[in-house]
Amino acid sequence: MGPVAVLGAGTIGAGWAAFFALQGLEVRVFDTGPQAQDQLDTVMARARPVLQAQGLLAARPTVPLLYVEPGPAVAGAAHVQEALPERLELKHHVYALVEASLDEQCVIASSSSGIPPSALQEGLRHPERLLIAHPCNPPYLMPLVEISGGRQTAPWALHAADAFYRELGKQTVILRREITGHLVNRLQAALWREAVHLVAEGYATVEDVDRSVTEGLGARWAVCGPHRIFHLAGGEAGMAGFLDKLGEPVEQWWASLGRPTLDEATRKALVDGMADAAHGREPAELAQERDRAVLAMLAAKKRGEI
Amino acid sequence: MGPVAVLGAGTIGAGWAAFFALQGLEVRVFDTGPQAQDQLDTVMARARPVLQAQGLLAARPTVPLLYVEPGPAVAGAAHVQEALPERLELKHHVYALVEASLDEQCVIASSSSGIPPSALQEGLRHPERLLIAHPCNPPYLMPLVEISGGRQTAPWALHAADAFYRELGKQTVILRREITGHLVNRLQAALWREAVHLVAEGYATVEDVDRSVTEGLGARWAVCGPHRIFHLAGGEAGMAGFLDKLGEPVEQWWASLGRPTLDEATRKALVDGMADAAHGREPAELAQERDRAVLAMLAAKKRGEI
């Protein structure tokens, strides 16, 4: 496969670069920031054992090369992964700079979660090859990539991106219509809204709401999606049986869900509650613990144990 | 420990009975239905390997005894677990029958998710010992028990129930205020509402929405609750940093979340989409697969691997 160009070496860009390079692809990273090289080195070191545990580490990983001009970074590229800051005009500016140097059949995949692909592709010389490929963070660990085309995206571009990520071991979903936040961030926001409500109104502590997920719902959601859970709750009649029996109560529950705002009192309840829940441990330590646990679970899933 | 009485041998009641009996407790089950004994036998057989895999199987499991009168079932009991159908008047009727035979200090723990504990305890001779202890299904597999007191529940009863379940290897959360659906069913309803919206409005298939959970969010939620996830997304500043940086966008996402109803078109989209997602496999087979996977994950968590 030809070289992969990564635009932007922030957390997500460096994560993508490490993921590609450790699988043996030639990677060129465009970033003008003074800390780009450090960031790349740090993330490469963090990602290496993760790729290894997933069985994805190439016999000969490459080293991502850093470019301070976008044109040379993308010349001859087989795939462009854009991970610039979430500012539309900045992304458009860089797209204009790279399009001149880029093969017509090369997909430009934006990692954006907040800007619709139709807005991203406006004004491009070849809007049909622009799409969104949004990873879960960090991109070298989490399997999911959400692919979403805009109004002008060509089917061939969606298929090419889909094949590209799957070849590298990712699990892809292709959205049928674009929507802000795609699937993951919307579902996450929906769950968190009720989690915030339960804390803000004093029904439970931050720690207990979190534990109700890790010790209950989360263990199921890691292996069984929300629709399938209710399909299986419907017995032999499946989803239809569930809807007949519990459709009305579910609608009543929906109507009773909280609609919190992040006002001062709620922010304080969340910050104080999280401080209690952390039991004096720093975010960095908790993040390490999370990554170790997620990696162990994904590796066990990959081995077919889970 | 003294005998445990289980009122009702439906799915939840039989699940509780199996959980207690396989840990070696003396279990007395009250149920008047003709299928109660079969149900108990079936669930005992299903639960045995699950308890074994969790390291919870007693050297000498007991056999739950079936009673058709509630009084004798609870006489001398150390704990009463009520798992009757979700009808308030039925529960009140049976509570009245058992209270006369029951030690004053014995907790009555209802498995209800839909009836508030304050409503359950109305009219009881000793309302202070009535509380809710709601399991995730099946009770012999899932670690979480949600404990919720009503207006008249005594602190000693909450503490006694909490200690009882933790002694048996459960993870408990105690709600600070009662609320319909407790934590788990509300959080689950909140996630599913957006999952339904995404399907109903044609953004993604049932299968892809489910995969965005199992391949992305769920792997994190099994080890890291929704509040902690955003605490860690805030970097060194934790939750406060996250709220400063992303509080406003999150509120905008909340405002844009879907508010579907389960009308005919939506039901059809869910049923048809789930049929596609099942790829011809029956609910029973999918349920077995889910239970095997959840058990493997919980066992790995217990061994400290995840």
Side-chain angles (χ1 to χ4, degrees):
Chain A
M1 192 187 293
V4 176
V6 177
L7 308 177
T11 311
I12 299 295
W16 275 123
F19 178 72
F20 299 138
L22 291 166
Q23 294 214 38
L25 301 182
E26 183 186 334
V27 178
R28 304 164 179 181
V29 180
F30 158 69
D31 197 296
T32 56
Q35 281 142 7
Q37 190 61 58
D38 281 355
Q39 170 87 339
L40 273 178
D41 295 342
T42 303
V43 175
M44 279 290 283
R46 202 179 291 155
R48 181 178 287 267
V50 174
L51 274 281
Q52 188 152 34
Q54 292 178 299
L56 294 175
L57 190 66
R60 295 166 186 265
T62 65
V63 174
L65 294 175
L66 191 61
Y67 289 73
V68 292
E69 292 292 336
V74 305
H79 180 91
V80 174
Q81 186 75 45
E82 178 264 298
L84 296 163
E86 289 280 71
R87 297 201 309 271
L88 184 57
E89 69 285 8
L90 171 68
K91 290 180 191 266
H92 275 159
H93 174 68
V94 177
Y95 293 165
L97 293 176
V98 302
E99 273 208 298
S101 312
L102 203 56
D103 189 281
E104 267 186 32
Q105 297 290 310
C106 178
V107 164
I108 303 177
S110 172
S111 311
S112 177
S113 74
I115 306 176
S118 290
L120 290 174
Q121 64 194 170
E122 261 172 38
L124 260 65
R125 197 185 301 180
H126 290 291
E128 71 279 3
R129 46 112 168 254
L130 187 291
L131 51 80
I132 281 179
H134 176 250
C136 285
N137 189 31
Y140 51 81
L141 170 60
M142 303 303 292
L144 189 73
V145 178
E146 302 178 277
I147 298 175
S148 178
R151 275 188 295 275
Q152 301 181 72
T153 306
W156 69 258
L158 292 171
H159 293 310
D162 186 47
F164 172 75
Y165 297 109
R166 286 201 283 137
E167 174 80 17
L168 295 170
K170 290 297 186 197
Q171 298 278 344
T172 55
V173 300
I174 304 181
L175 273 78
R176 296 165 66 176
R177 281 169 67 194
E178 61 190 313
I179 183 170
T180 308
H182 317 307
L183 308 181
V184 161
N185 280 332
R186 297 184 66 84
L187 292 167
Q188 180 157 252
L191 184 75
W192 197 51
R193 181 158 68 163
E194 187 61 18
V196 169
H197 170 68
L198 290 165
V199 170
E201 299 299 320
Y203 294 110
T205 64
V206 163
E207 182 167 20
D208 280 349
V209 170
D210 272 6
R211 288 176 61 237
S212 75
V213 173
T214 56
E215 305 301 325
L217 293 163
R220 272 204 295 241
W221 281 330
V223 300
C224 191
H227 291 302
R228 185 178 287 199
I229 280 174
F230 289 134
H231 177 61
L232 301 183
E236 280 178 34
M239 179 64 84
F242 174 78
L243 289 167
D244 284 345
K245 210 167 44 178
L246 289 168
E248 269 182 52
V250 164
E251 284 188 322
Q252 285 164 16
W253 277 354
W254 286 352
S256 85
L257 292 178
R259 305 183 66 181
T261 54
L262 294 172
D263 56 22
E264 274 314 303
T266 298
R267 285 174 189 239
K268 185 168 160 40
L270 292 171
V271 170
D272 291 353
M274 192 59 231
D276 289 344
H279 295 287
R281 300 168 69 200
E282 291 298 318
E285 186 189 344
L286 297 175
Q288 248 179 3
E289 184 179 284
R290 174 201 60 192
D291 291 348
R292 188 201 60 73
V294 171
L295 176 57
M297 171 172 331
L298 292 173
K301 263 181 115 170
K302 205 151 208 164
R303 290 194 302 269
E305 293 167 12
I306 288 174
Chain B
M1 192 186 293
V4 176
V6 177
L7 307 177
T11 311
I12 299 295
W16 275 123
F19 178 72
F20 299 138
L22 291 165
Q23 294 213 37
L25 300 183
E26 183 187 335
V27 177
R28 303 165 180 180
V29 181
F30 158 68
D31 197 296
T32 56
Q35 280 142 8
Q37 189 62 57
D38 281 355
Q39 171 86 339
L40 273 179
D41 295 343
T42 303
V43 175
M44 279 290 283
R46 202 179 291 155
R48 179 178 288 268
V50 174
L51 274 279
Q52 187 152 36
Q54 293 178 299
L56 293 175
L57 190 65
R60 294 166 187 265
T62 65
V63 175
L65 295 176
L66 192 61
Y67 290 73
V68 292
E69 292 292 337
V74 304
H79 179 92
V80 174
Q81 186 76 45
E82 178 264 299
L84 297 163
E86 289 278 71
R87 297 201 309 271
L88 184 57
E89 68 286 8
L90 172 68
K91 290 180 192 266
H92 275 160
H93 174 69
V94 177
Y95 293 165
L97 293 176
V98 300
E99 272 207 300
S101 312
L102 203 56
D103 188 280
E104 268 187 32
Q105 298 291 310
C106 178
V107 164
I108 303 177
S110 171
S111 311
S112 177
S113 74
I115 306 177
S118 290
L120 291 174
Q121 65 193 170
E122 262 171 38
L124 261 64
R125 196 185 301 180
H126 291 290
E128 72 278 3
R129 46 115 167 252
L130 187 292
L131 50 81
I132 281 179
H134 176 251
C136 285
N137 189 30
Y140 52 81
L141 171 59
M142 304 303 292
L144 190 72
V145 178
E146 302 178 278
I147 298 175
S148 179
R151 274 188 295 275
Q152 301 181 71
T153 306
W156 69 257
L158 292 170
H159 293 310
D162 186 47
F164 171 76
Y165 296 109
R166 287 200 284 138
E167 174 80 17
L168 295 170
K170 290 298 187 197
Q171 298 277 344
T172 54
V173 299
I174 304 182
L175 272 77
R176 296 165 66 177
R177 279 171 66 195
E178 62 190 312
I179 184 171
T180 308
H182 318 307
L183 308 180
V184 161
N185 279 333
R186 296 184 67 84
L187 292 166
Q188 180 158 252
L191 184 76
W192 196 51
R193 181 159 69 164
E194 186 62 18
V196 169
H197 170 67
L198 290 166
V199 170
E201 299 299 320
Y203 293 111
T205 63
V206 162
E207 181 167 20
D208 280 349
V209 170
D210 271 5
R211 289 176 61 237
S212 74
V213 173
T214 56
E215 305 301 324
L217 292 162
R220 273 205 295 241
W221 282 330
V223 300
C224 191
H227 291 301
R228 184 179 287 200
I229 280 174
F230 288 135
H231 178 60
L232 301 183
E236 282 179 32
M239 179 63 83
F242 174 79
L243 289 167
D244 284 346
K245 212 167 43 179
L246 290 168
E248 270 182 51
V250 164
E251 284 187 322
Q252 286 164 17
W253 277 354
W254 286 351
S256 85
L257 292 177
R259 305 182 68 181
T261 53
L262 294 171
D263 56 22
E264 273 316 301
T266 299
R267 286 174 189 241
K268 184 167 159 42
L270 292 171
V271 171
D272 292 353
M274 192 59 232
D276 290 344
H279 297 285
R281 300 168 68 199
E282 292 298 319
E285 187 189 344
L286 298 174
Q288 248 178 3
E289 184 177 284
R290 175 201 58 191
D291 290 347
R292 190 201 58 75
V294 171
L295 176 58
M297 171 171 333
L298 292 174
K301 263 182 115 170
K302 206 151 207 166
R303 290 194 303 270
E305 293 167 12
I306 289 176

